Amino acid sequence: MTRGRHEEAVGDFLPLPNATFHILLALRKGEKHGYAIMGEVDRLSEGRVRLGPGTLYGAIKRLLADGLIEESDERPDPTLDDERRRYYRVTAIGERVCAAEVDRLRSLLSRAVGRRPSLGET
């Protein structure tokens, strides 16, 4: 039986492209539309990562296809928001992939600063 990309093992997605990782981080705190994702990435990275629309929506398209995020069916009150906006949220597999990337980067950083990883780290 052939598995879809979204059913692959978490490690099959790693390492994550920079934009993909930052989008997943931005969505871990809740659903957001594209412009809000861009703002959250800017905030989380302290202005060091800025996603342009082409990069953002290209990455969102891949994340949707891979099953790491999904479009939300819920919409805010139309009087408070533009009804054309699409809202996205991280999926369970997206959460696991994001956590695995955090662990991978943590391990890499520990090696870069010269300390041996503690038990349970790779």
Side-chain angles (χ1 to χ4, degrees):
M1 178 176 169
T2 305
R3 294 186 301 179
R5 176 86 169 139
H6 63 281
E7 297 171 352
E8 293 181 21
V10 167
D12 293 346
F13 291 97
L14 303 180
L16 289 175
N18 195 40
T20 299
F21 180 56
H22 281 86
I23 291 167
L24 289 174
L25 287 175
L27 290 174
R28 287 177 102 182
K29 294 190 177 191
E31 298 178 4
K32 290 177 185 53
H33 56 77
Y35 188 73
I37 293 170
M38 288 172 28
E40 183 67 3
V41 167
D42 185 62
R43 187 189 71 75
L44 287 171
S45 70
E46 298 177 336
R48 291 181 180 98
V49 177
R50 294 185 186 256
L51 300 178
T55 300
L56 174 70
Y57 289 104
I60 285 175
K61 184 177 178 180
R62 286 185 300 279
L63 285 162
L64 287 166
D66 289 343
L68 301 181
I69 66 170
E70 61 190 5
E71 193 170 336
S72 174
D73 293 332
E74 297 179 26
R75 296 283 190 265
D77 183 337
T79 61
L80 302 174
D81 195 40
D82 186 334
E83 64 184 36
R84 296 171 295 176
R85 282 184 173 158
R86 293 182 176 171
Y87 283 76
Y88 305 97
R89 65 178 162 233
V90 68
T91 62
I93 184 72
E95 271 290 341
R96 291 193 303 273
V97 168
C98 188
E101 181 70 348
V102 168
D103 289 344
R104 186 188 73 80
L105 292 171
R106 185 178 290 131
S107 177
L108 181 64
L109 182 59
S110 73
R111 290 185 188 111
V113 296
R115 82 165 182 85
R116 295 185 73 191
S118 62
L119 213 48
E121 294 180 12
T122 55

